[in-house]
Amino acid sequence: MNTVDGTDHTGTPHPTGGLVLRPGDAGYEDELAGFQTGFTQRPAVIFAAASAEDVVAAVRYAAAEGLPVGVQATGHGLPGDAEGGVLITTRRMDGVRVDAEARTVRVQAGVRWGQVVAAAEPYGLAPLNGSAPGVGAVSYTLSGGLGILAREFGYAADHVRALDVVTADGRLRQVTPASDPDLYWALLGGGHNFGVVTELEIDLVPVARLYGGSLSFDAAEVDPAAVLRAYERWTRTVPSTLTSSFAAVPYPDIPAVPPRLRGRYVVSVRVAHTGAEGERLVAPLREAGPVLADSLREMPYAESHTIHSDPDFPHTYYGDSAVLRELDVEAVAGLLALTGPEAPTMCVVQINHLGGALAEAAPNSVPYREGRFLVRLLTMADRATARAGLDPAFALLAPWTIGRALNFAFGAGDRTDGLYGPGTRTRLAGLKSRYDPANLFRRNYNVADADGS
């Protein structure tokens, strides 16, 4: 392992504080490791950044050498295209600073949502985090950020006050809607395609408790399509203070799965509600059939991760999504038939109810705010096997599909079609040519390609 001591063995200058690793160095493989184990890269150089200055050094080195740059915090998503290039890891940049009076928090590039929830809780405040506490806060937000309170407060990207970002010219800038509205717009939705964000200042919301949890049904006793129909009808009646999703999971019969779920095909509705009428609002869902498990309850916000209980161990997965203008229940019932227990590979289906504050305009590039539902498919398979199973399922939804969600293109970001609408993509491409004309920052999607090919 090479400690940064002013120069590396090629003579390229670096600041002190971080680590520079190359293939064969002790620690190189460990630094590459992340939550996603199915897709790996072999960068020529890893900059294990401990500060914004280390990120500046990495970007300047990459620019001087003509190498692409990728960024990895927790490794839940894939880093940018760093194969043979420069990978910047940010896990050591884990500072969190809450300003309770202003209801804001500053988070560094390697911070995970669980840290932010814990830091905000003593003040009766909460961030607009997602369902898994181990996800990196910065990359989640730059790709939009569809959280557990999304219908009430909108996307996490809608609540960013300022970003510290290292751009392709090697400058560390503070970007706000007033200082640089174009770059601010591009970063929040276009993400690391425009630079490496080293810190965010984001709003916190005054939420200390909520009503939430999951209502689950065994598909052996209740038709999944019947639960889906009940769910779709129910979403037409709920207020924007209630955010929910439908899920269908064929649990394997293995010891890692809780005994009551082992070997079962389970459909669930997950709920998060900040009002006082949670039990009354969910009552119609209980009429769908015999309940297998019910975790709905009043809870402190710090326990909100239990609503979804996402896996917290590294594993292989591939996934994609479709933003829908309407939820055609019969088409989705067909999708459930394709992805259920008889599918060749295990597939998890999740359907998020959109609308509410998510439909409101904001000065960022997060697309498809008119969407009413988001369908997400996730499978534990390699890319080729996964696509063979998922493509026919998504084809059923094509008549109602308006696009895809970048936050949920797990390994599918190499497909650029549908990540942005034509107008948004054209504007992003123009800003890409202005801020990164050499295409230094290469996410697995590339907004420099304005025609979507």
Side-chain angles (χ1 to χ4, degrees):
M1 183 176 290
N2 298 320
T3 301
V4 179
D5 60 0
T7 62
D8 66 15
H9 55 253
T10 66
T12 307
H14 301 291
T16 60
L19 301 171
V20 177
L21 303 168
R22 293 176 172 77
D25 286 346
Y28 175 91
E29 300 295 341
D30 289 341
E31 196 67 26
L32 276 180
F35 191 81
Q36 163 64 271
T37 61
F39 303 93
T40 59
Q41 298 190 66
R42 305 295 298 176
V45 185
I46 301 175
F47 281 74
S51 66
E53 290 74 21
D54 291 336
V55 175
V56 168
V59 170
R60 290 179 177 175
Y61 172 83
E65 299 293 323
L67 297 174
V69 175
V71 185
Q72 178 174 311
T74 66
H76 276 73
L78 293 181
D81 186 4
E83 186 71 31
V86 172
L87 178 66
I88 302 172
T89 60
T90 64
R91 66 192 67 170
R92 293 164 182 78
M93 300 172 64
D94 61 355
V96 178
R97 302 192 304 281
V98 172
D99 184 333
E101 184 175 350
R103 291 183 180 173
T104 62
V105 61
R106 290 192 69 91
V107 297
Q108 290 186 318
V111 168
R112 301 171 186 236
W113 275 125
Q115 298 169 254
V116 189
V117 172
E121 183 191 19
Y123 307 102
L125 300 172
L128 296 178
N129 56 287
S131 59
V135 167
V138 169
S139 291
Y140 162 98
T141 302
L142 297 183
S143 296
L146 181 65
I148 58 175
L149 302 179
R151 279 176 39 82
E152 182 171 2
F153 296 105
Y155 289 99
D158 300 344
H159 294 267
V160 174
R161 297 198 181 188
L163 311 92
D164 293 351
V165 57
V166 180
T167 46
D169 56 5
R171 288 177 53 196
L172 176 62
R173 312 173 187 227
Q174 184 174 80
V175 176
T176 70
S179 70
D180 196 333
D182 283 342
L183 186 54
Y184 177 91
W185 180 89
L187 285 165
L188 294 170
H192 290 303
N193 233 311
F194 294 87
V196 183
V197 172
T198 61
E199 192 163 322
L200 290 179
E201 181 183 357
I202 56 179
D203 292 327
L204 298 171
V205 296
V207 175
R209 299 185 64 82
L210 54 74
Y211 176 86
S214 175
L215 199 63
S216 300
F217 305 86
D218 185 347
E221 298 182 1
V222 183
D223 180 6
V227 179
L228 176 66
R229 292 185 185 95
Y231 175 70
E232 192 277 334
R233 289 193 302 269
W234 177 74
T235 60
R236 302 178 204 170
T237 69
V238 298
S240 60
T241 51
L242 192 151
T243 302
S244 68
S245 63
F246 169 96
V249 184
Y251 285 98
D253 187 5
I254 58 175
V257 175
R260 63 185 173 82
L261 301 176
R262 198 173 295 165
R264 297 178 187 262
Y265 183 35
V266 178
V267 292
S268 306
V269 177
R270 289 88 168 259
V271 171
H273 173 58
T274 60
E277 301 179 293
E279 188 60 34
R280 181 187 66 80
L281 288 170
V282 302
L285 293 173
R286 300 183 187 279
E287 300 173 5
V291 174
L292 173 66
D294 181 352
S295 65
L296 290 165
R297 69 193 190 280
E298 292 282 341
M299 66 175 74
Y301 192 82
E303 295 179 10
S304 60
H305 63 279
T306 65
I307 294 173
H308 290 75
S309 295
D310 293 324
D312 60 359
F313 53 87
H315 58 282
T316 297
Y317 52 94
Y318 180 95
D320 210 343
S321 62
V323 182
L324 307 182
R325 61 174 177 268
E326 296 291 344
L327 187 68
D328 185 280
V329 174
E330 299 313 313
V332 179
L335 179 148
L336 292 178
L338 282 178
T339 58
E342 304 307 315
T345 60
M346 177 184 174
C347 185
V348 175
V349 177
Q350 180 162 313
I351 303 173
N352 291 79
H353 182 208
L354 306 179
L358 293 166
E360 297 174 5
N364 58 52
S365 53
V366 179
Y368 306 124
R369 291 176 179 268
E370 70 274 29
R372 293 196 61 242
F373 290 90
L374 171 69
V375 175
R376 300 157 52 184
L377 303 182
L378 189 72
T379 185
M380 290 60 175
D382 62 84
R383 183 180 277 115
T385 302
R387 286 251 62 102
L390 299 190
D391 284 351
F394 281 117
L396 293 175
L397 307 179
W400 303 274
T401 298
I402 58 176
R404 298 162 61 214
L406 182 58
N407 267 134
F408 306 109
F410 296 121
D414 56 325
R415 290 181 50 236
T416 61
D417 57 294
L419 291 175
Y420 302 99
T424 299
R425 192 177 187 98
T426 298
R427 183 178 175 190
L428 284 170
L431 293 171
K432 176 74 169 177
S433 65
R434 183 163 99 187
Y435 287 103
D436 184 17
N439 194 22
L440 192 67
F441 306 112
R442 301 178 198 169
R443 287 283 306 249
N444 291 314
Y445 66 97
N446 183 4
V447 300
D449 176 13
D451 66 4
S453 61

